[in-house]
Amino acid sequence: EAQSSLGSLLGSGPFEEKEEVERLVANVLLSPVMLRARKAEERFAETPIALHVDGRLLEGVIDLAFLENEAWVIVDFKTDQVVKDLVSTRTDAYRAQLSLYALALERLTRYPVKELVLLFVRSPQEIIFPWGEDERRLAGALVSLASAGYEGSE
């Protein structure tokens, strides 16, 4: 059903590109985290966030956030082609980004964050990070570093 709808949206074009887009969309729609998101009490896609933290403005766009058992799951879609052996090296920077999103989302809503998910759509692979005190400390440290760098540039 999703593929036939997508096919009509894409119209004519190079057949290989159309097949690739259909494959990527299917990878996303059939991923375990998206199956969970469909059952969610609440969900938001492509949601801009802005929050002042320690004198610094955090801005970004959360690809997907959904409520599961009264806690947020944040999903970031990545189109990188990543082989399984190199996933851990690629996820560090993305984990920091997701940690900042989680910090902002918790402060903007009345719900805690429980999970951060990277969904590599080409592989397809899901990398799940539980959100806890270590991640909160990481996010706080990143905000502090950014604030220090910002103050030093004035």
Side-chain angles (χ1 to χ4, degrees), residues 72-115:
W72 291 111
V73 175
I74 300 174
V75 182
D76 199 24
F77 302 106
K78 297 299 180 189
T79 56
D80 306 30
Q81 183 66 48
V82 180
V83 293
K84 288 188 190 250
D85 296 345
L86 300 176
V87 168
S88 64
T89 59
R90 298 294 279 276
T91 59
D92 289 341
Y94 296 142
R95 183 179 187 183
Q97 174 190 4
L98 283 170
S99 293
L100 291 171
Y101 288 168
L103 183 69
L105 194 58
E106 282 190 336
R107 291 185 182 184
L108 291 169
T109 70
R110 64 181 190 266
Y111 296 107
V113 170
K114 71 173 186 174
E115 232 173 59

Side-chain angles (χ1 to χ4, degrees), residues 4 12 14 36 40-41 48 52 56 59 67 77 79 82 84 99-100 119 130 150 152:
S4 65
S12 60
R36 290 169 52 201
E41 308 149 29
H52 285 276
R56 184 87 169 140
E59 294 180 283
L67 273 178
F77 302 106
T79 56
V82 180
K84 288 188 190 250
S99 293
L100 291 171
L119 179 57
Y150 179 73

Side-chain angles (χ1 to χ4, degrees), residues 3-118:
Q3 284 186 332
S4 65
S5 297
L6 180 63
S8 64
L9 285 174
L10 291 174
S12 60
F15 183 73
E16 295 80 19
E17 286 179 19
K18 182 177 170 184
E19 274 189 340
E20 176 68 2
V21 170
E22 287 177 348
R23 185 182 70 76
L24 296 178
V25 169
N27 285 350
V28 170
L29 294 177
L30 298 173
S31 68
V33 73
M34 289 302 288
L35 297 174
R36 290 169 52 201
R38 279 194 209 97
K39 297 175 187 173
E41 308 149 29
E42 238 181 298
R43 64 186 161 270
F44 300 97
E46 292 298 317
T47 304
I49 57 164
L51 180 68
H52 285 276
V53 178
D54 299 333
R56 184 87 169 140
L57 180 65
L58 297 179
E59 294 180 283
V61 177
I62 297 174
D63 290 344
L64 176 67
F66 63 91
L67 273 178
E68 184 177 71
N69 301 319
E70 297 191 8
W72 291 111
V73 175
I74 300 174
V75 182
D76 199 24
F77 302 106
K78 297 299 180 189
T79 56
D80 306 30
Q81 183 66 48
V82 180
V83 293
K84 288 188 190 250
D85 296 345
L86 300 176
V87 168
S88 64
T89 59
R90 298 294 279 276
T91 59
D92 289 341
Y94 296 142
R95 183 179 187 183
Q97 174 190 4
L98 283 170
S99 293
L100 291 171
Y101 288 168
L103 183 69
L105 194 58
E106 282 190 336
R107 291 185 182 184
L108 291 169
T109 70
R110 64 181 190 266
Y111 296 107
V113 170
K114 71 173 186 174
E115 232 173 59
L116 311 173
V117 181
L118 288 172

